[in-house]
């Protein structure tokens, strides 16, 4: 009655090559952003570019990878800030800023993860509705066919 559609891979069962590719791309992106941030100095704020590797992990890999990348990004931001000789009136400010960066990275990564989950659920619901509609149309056609045959008999 309905056409068969390819089923997407469940979100929690990703292939190891895909996980490796996204992980390496995220780490390379983090290293690139960290290097550019270090080279430009602390006067230029590159904070938002650290969201890219975290967002990649959130979109493609899941919550644990997102949390790990947020942690790596926060630590990277800390060391870039430290090695760029950015001086603070109190050293605790550096730790506080790094923690706030980590929180921001984690929130953005989790937002990407949950947006992807929501999108996947909507797509699945749409496919189910399309299948139900196709079945309803087939049933309606069959009922009309039976009705016409019934009128011929009467």
């Amino acid at each position: 009655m309905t056409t068969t559609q390819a089923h997407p891979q469940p979100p929690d069962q990703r292939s190891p090559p895909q996980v490796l590719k996204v992980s390496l791309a995220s780490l390379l992106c983090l290293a690139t952003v960290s290097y550019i941030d270090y080279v430009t100095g602390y006067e230029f704020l590159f904070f938002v570019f650290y969201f890219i590797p975290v967002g990649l992990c959130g979109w493609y890999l899941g919550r644990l990878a997102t949390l790990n990348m947020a942690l790596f990004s926060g630590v990277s931001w800390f060391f870039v800030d430290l090695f760029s000789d950015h001086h603070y009136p109190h050293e605790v400010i550096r730790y506080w800023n790094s923690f706030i960066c980590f929180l921001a990275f984690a929130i953005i990564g989790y937002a990407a993860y949950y947006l992807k989950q929501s999108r996947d659920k909507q797509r699945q619901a749409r496919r189910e509705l399309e299948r139900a509609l196709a079945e309803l149309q087939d049933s309606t056609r069959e009922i009309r066919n039976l009705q016409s045959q019934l009128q011929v008999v009467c």
Side-chain angles (χ1 to χ4, degrees):
M1 288 190 173
T2 61
T3 60
T4 327
Q5 296 179 1
H7 296 287
Q9 199 172 19
D12 292 34
Q13 297 178 356
R14 291 184 171 55
S15 65
Q18 179 187 12
V19 171
L20 182 64
K21 286 178 187 176
V22 174
S23 298
L24 289 176
S26 296
L27 288 171
L28 181 63
C29 183
L30 176 61
T32 303
V33 168
S34 298
Y35 176 74
I36 293 170
D37 192 11
Y38 173 74
V39 169
T40 58
Y42 63 85
E43 291 87 9
F44 289 101
L45 191 59
F46 271 81
F47 173 73
V48 296
F49 295 105
Y50 287 87
F51 292 142
I52 296 169
V54 177
L56 282 172
C57 287
W59 192 261
Y60 293 105
L61 298 182
R63 291 180 294 193
L64 182 61
T66 301
L67 185 62
N68 286 332
M69 187 54 67
L71 184 62
F72 292 154
S73 296
V75 168
S76 179
W77 188 89
F78 173 83
F79 281 114
V80 166
D81 193 53
L82 182 68
F83 294 143
S84 67
D85 291 329
H86 190 183
H87 299 287
Y88 293 96
H90 302 284
E91 193 60 24
V92 72
I93 295 172
R94 182 184 323 274
Y95 293 99
W96 174 257
N97 287 348
S98 297
F99 177 71
I100 294 302
C101 285
F102 160 72
L103 284 179
F105 300 149
I107 289 168
I108 292 297
Y110 275 38
Y113 171 77
Y114 286 112
L115 281 171
K116 171 96 182 313
Q117 296 301 311
S118 175
R119 186 201 68 168
D120 291 346
K121 287 178 184 175
Q122 287 177 349
R123 283 183 173 179
Q124 179 64 30
R126 188 187 77 234
R127 280 192 296 271
E128 290 172 8
L129 285 172
E130 287 172 350
R131 275 191 289 257
L133 179 60
E135 289 175 9
L136 182 61
Q137 288 170 339
D138 289 345
S139 298
T140 302
R141 244 186 324 272
E142 191 174 328
I143 289 171
R144 286 187 180 147
N145 185 23
L146 290 173
Q147 281 177 338
S148 68
Q149 291 174 2
L150 183 62
Q151 290 174 355
V152 170
V153 172
C154 293

